[in-house]
Amino acid sequence: MKTMEPKKENLLMRHATLIAIGTVTLVMLLAIGVFWLQAKANETARDWVNHTYIVRRHIQLLLSGLQNAETGYHDYVLTGNSDFLEPYNNAMRDSIGAYLDDAVVDQHRSIRQELLLLRNLTLDNPSQQSNLDEMNEAIKNFLNYVSSGIQKRQETDGNGEKNDLTSINFQHQKEMMDRLRGLVRIMDGEESHLLKLRTELDDTTVRQNHTLTFIVMGIFYVAITLSVWLYQRARTRAAIQMLLYTRELEKREEELKMQQEELKASNEEIEASNEELEEKTNALEEQNQRIRQQSQELEETKRVIEEKAEELERASRYKSEFLANMSHELRTPLNSLLILARGLAANEEGNLTAEQIEEARVIHNGGLELLGLINDILDLSKVEAGKMSVMPEDIYISGITKRMTEQFDPVAKERKVEFHVRLDQDLPEMLHTDGQRVEQILKNLLSNAFKFTESGSITLDIHRASDQAALQRAALANGAIGFSVTDTGIGIDVSKFKDIFEAFQQEDGSTDRHYGGTGLGLTIARKFAHLLGGEIHLASQKGSGSTFTLYLPLKFSSEESVRETAPVAVQDAADDPQIKTMPRSAIKTFIPDDRKTIGADDKVLLIIEDDRNFAATLMKIAKKRGYQCLAAGDGKSGLLLAAEQPVTAVILDLRLPDMDGMMVLDQLKHNLKTRHIPVHIISGMTESDTTAPLKKGAIGYLTKPVVQEDIDSAFARIENILQSDVKKVLVVEDDRKTQTAIQSLLKQKNLELITMGTGAAALAQLREAQFDCIILDLRLPDMTGFEWLATVEKEIGEAATPPIVIYTAQELTEDENRQLSCYTGSIVIKGASSSERLLDEVTLFLHSVESTLSQDQQAMVRMQHDPDRALQNRTVMLVDDDMRNTFALSKVLKKHGMNVVIADNGKMALEKLAEEKKIELLIMDIMMPVMDGYQAMREIRTHAAWQALPIIALTARAMPEEQERCIEAGANDYLVKPVDIERLLTLLRVWLFKQEKVAA
């Protein structure tokens, strides 16, 4: 059947809708473009107008600065009062925070900065640039003249001459200022002319914009009208075509009815074929049944696998619990063994023979070796159980070699073998990995090398992985670094290559073997290498030495890792006859610092500051000055770092989250190990008396916010103290015998004493030379000490006056004491123990290291600073169910003068807390019967009277999450058994000192 075809339309009618839409769109785009160009032109014109206003404003600011300088100069010259120089100083002082490229924001700027800003703003105007050249020369002449006038007036006042104003030419000053005002008017007139032109241009642009808007709107109206007409016409034609198509479809419907009759006949044939399909369907159902049966079998297999997975998870959990329990069971007896053995080895009572002392050292060192073995086994178990994770960071390769050299150079000298470290030239500066794990691997490899090498050499070679290296792990494909440890020792047989990396396996595992060890070092090293995405290669030949190479990727790929906080003990390669030190847990890191890279000869700055950004800024400045830096965000961490690290200087904030900065300063200056360290205060606290820290031994005080010059002056003061080989002390005393006694008392090779018998002579010395400390008697033949102090403050100023120690036999009244406290906090009344007090105060202000004093002087200072004074007669409760630990720890605490209350479990601790009101601190074990430490601490914190009671948690479970659980339960601090006694005593002093200050 022939199909009816619609009549073909012309091109315009067929695409009428498309043409209409396109026309409207094109007009819209053109309109948008035109409006955008007009807006840009309008914005540019207005920007130039605003620019002109800004230039005029800064011209007036320049004139204002010149007028302020003129006013300050004029008033000062007339009156001689330096307070009138404040406007002049403000006009001349550059502002550090002012930006020369930002003229919009209102900021204080000096005359010089305003000139530079105007020059930048008028770069497009040669006329104004010429005016600025003339202005610059005139300002320079004016300021030189004003400066010379001020200097001349200051010289007149300094010489005590009568105020003579005849030498000052005010008329010349006025002429110079009038010339400057004329130049300002010229520049302002130039900008006024530009403003008029630019305003006219802006008005013209606005008028053009309005005209163009009307034109575009007209075009848009025509386009819309035409588009609607075309659309309506196309719609009418489409309706006619639809009617024709409808008639055609009715004809086709009749044809379809005839075709349906034909289809009925064909359906009968289809039904016959359906029977065949049913048979096939039955066969498919049987097949589906077999498939369902297989699915059930798969489900059963899956269930069995899930049960196995649950069993593995349960086994892993049991293993973790076993590790925690074993850590407790092994460390608990070690705790008392190490504490008692160390006490015997110290032989403080002097009743042991040398042989007995040596036996105690052997017991203590053996306990530490056993502790190292326990840590190795726990590390291996944690890796296998998936509990060991890493924290990647950027570490300096040079830092790794520095620490390896520092640790193993003494071992090489003792073993009489050579030790070399080589680095390739093309190595990157830094490596992104876990530095702690890398160093543990290298220490294990180097320890083995030294153990199995009796002569020859050992070399640590750091290089890029060569193309010939058969690297297997995917992480090494994008570049790797190799750490090769090569020795000339006994070598390893090829058949033993795999065995030595297995736990408790050695190259020589016989009962009569020559070399000791557990065989865990290489196992742990390989596990750690895999954890870091690397691997260890071995090349060796029996009798010819060995080469172990650790390959690590340049960048560790894992991003969700947490560093272990538990200490990792490493066995030394050589046997040390002296008593070994307990491995200490790391002090928490506030911001990344240099604690891992500090060398023996480095200058070390400790920054105790809770503002991370400011601490990082101070660290950046200190590094430029050659310091290695330590950072602490709280007072307790700062005190621990100061006591355990070789700190050279301290910058201290007074507002800290856990304690007052003045308490930190007190403890630093009370501890004989840290009192010599210069401490500079930089704090945001607005103290009414900023001299209070200086009287306690601080070398300076800055109030935040500080500028670069202030920080530079603080570092200059620190460096002046550190670099001063000879300290100078001015003694103002008229009595000859007392002069001789002071010289004898303070005699040191690096101390120069200048003695003056009258106040006038002492003042003359103070004007000519700088002194680190002054010792002053209040009774002088020509003036009193009070008059002398007032004169010094007037002539030199409070900030420049060195620390003063009042040494007098005069009985002071309350009013005199109050008057003296304005100048110094160190007043020593001559008497029975005055010599010791005087020596103590002078060494404090001179920052003298205790070891540089004579033995008699050291003894006198120690009498004033007994480290146990903060602990004496203080009452602590020791909560532990193990009698060995309570015996050992209580013995140590009692030896330091403390009162110890003992409880066997948490419940008993609560009962004794209710009975004993004098308990000031708790030392709480975690694993105990009846009530464990967690429950006890939570119960304690529910009582209002005990919420501020310090609690130090002790646990033998060296698992990484243990510390968080203890702090969450209510502990203030945390120590792992075996207890580091020095760390425990430091924490006791910190917390008891805080309690004492709170009570006061």
Side-chain angles (χ1 to χ4, degrees), residues 768-803:
E768 296 175 0
Q770 290 186 345
F771 291 90
D772 299 287
C773 182
I774 299 173
I775 300 174
L776 174 66
D777 186 11
L778 295 180
R779 291 180 176 176
L780 300 174
D782 56 343
M783 64 178 71
T784 67
F786 297 96
E787 294 171 342
W788 193 88
L789 288 170
T791 305
V792 169
E793 182 180 18
K794 181 179 179 181
E795 292 188 4
I796 300 178
E798 183 179 357
T801 303

Side-chain angles (χ1 to χ4, degrees), residues 28 154 291 293 391 459 484 812 905:
M28 285 292 294
Q154 289 174 341
I291 292 173
Q293 185 176 356
M391 172 66 89
T459 303
S484 297
L812 300 176
N905 54 62

Side-chain angles (χ1 to χ4, degrees), residues 536-587:
I536 295 178
H537 291 193
L538 169 60
S540 181
Q541 186 175 355
K542 188 69 174 177
S544 300
S546 307
T547 298
F548 287 86
T549 302
L550 167 65
Y551 288 106
L552 292 175
L554 291 173
K555 187 172 183 180
F556 181 67
S557 59
S558 176
E559 298 179 357
E560 299 179 357
S561 301
V562 180
R563 180 179 296 279
E564 294 288 332
T565 57
V568 180
V570 179
Q571 289 294 106
D572 291 331
D575 295 328
D576 188 356
Q578 300 298 320
I579 189 166
K580 299 178 182 178
T581 57
M582 181 87 67
R584 280 176 170 157
S585 57
I587 300 171

Side-chain angles (χ1 to χ4, degrees), residues 728-733 742 746 753-754 756 762-763 765-767 769-777 788-789 792 796 800-807 824 826 838 841-842 845-846:
K728 296 179 68 174
V729 176
L730 176 61
V731 180
V732 188
E733 170 65 62
I742 293 174
L746 301 179
L753 291 174
I754 307 297
M756 291 292 139
L763 288 172
Q765 280 288 332
L766 199 56
R767 295 187 192 104
Q770 290 186 345
F771 291 90
D772 299 287
C773 182
I774 299 173
I775 300 174
L776 174 66
D777 186 11
W788 193 88
L789 288 170
V792 169
I796 300 178
T801 303
I804 299 174
V805 179
I806 303 298
Y807 188 52
T824 179
S826 302
L838 178 62
E841 295 290 345
V842 172
F845 290 124
L846 295 181

Side-chain angles (χ1 to χ4, degrees), residues 100-111:
L100 299 182
D101 57 351
D102 188 358
V104 178
V105 179
D106 285 331
Q107 302 178 74
H108 168 74
R109 293 181 175 87
S110 65
I111 294 174

Side-chain angles (χ1 to χ4, degrees), residues 314-353:
R314 190 161 50 249
S316 177
R317 187 171 65 254
Y318 290 160
K319 187 172 185 178
S320 298
E321 292 175 359
F322 169 76
L323 289 175
N325 293 331
M326 283 302 296
S327 173
H328 178 270
E329 296 302 325
L330 292 172
R331 291 173 183 268
T332 297
L334 264 181
N335 186 54
S336 55
L337 183 147
L338 290 171
I339 292 173
L340 294 175
R342 185 179 182 87
L344 290 173
N347 192 23
E348 294 181 356
E349 297 181 4
N351 58 353
L352 298 180
T353 65

Side-chain angles (χ1 to χ4, degrees), residues 31 513 886 968:
R513 60 184 179 172
T886 55
E968 183 182 353

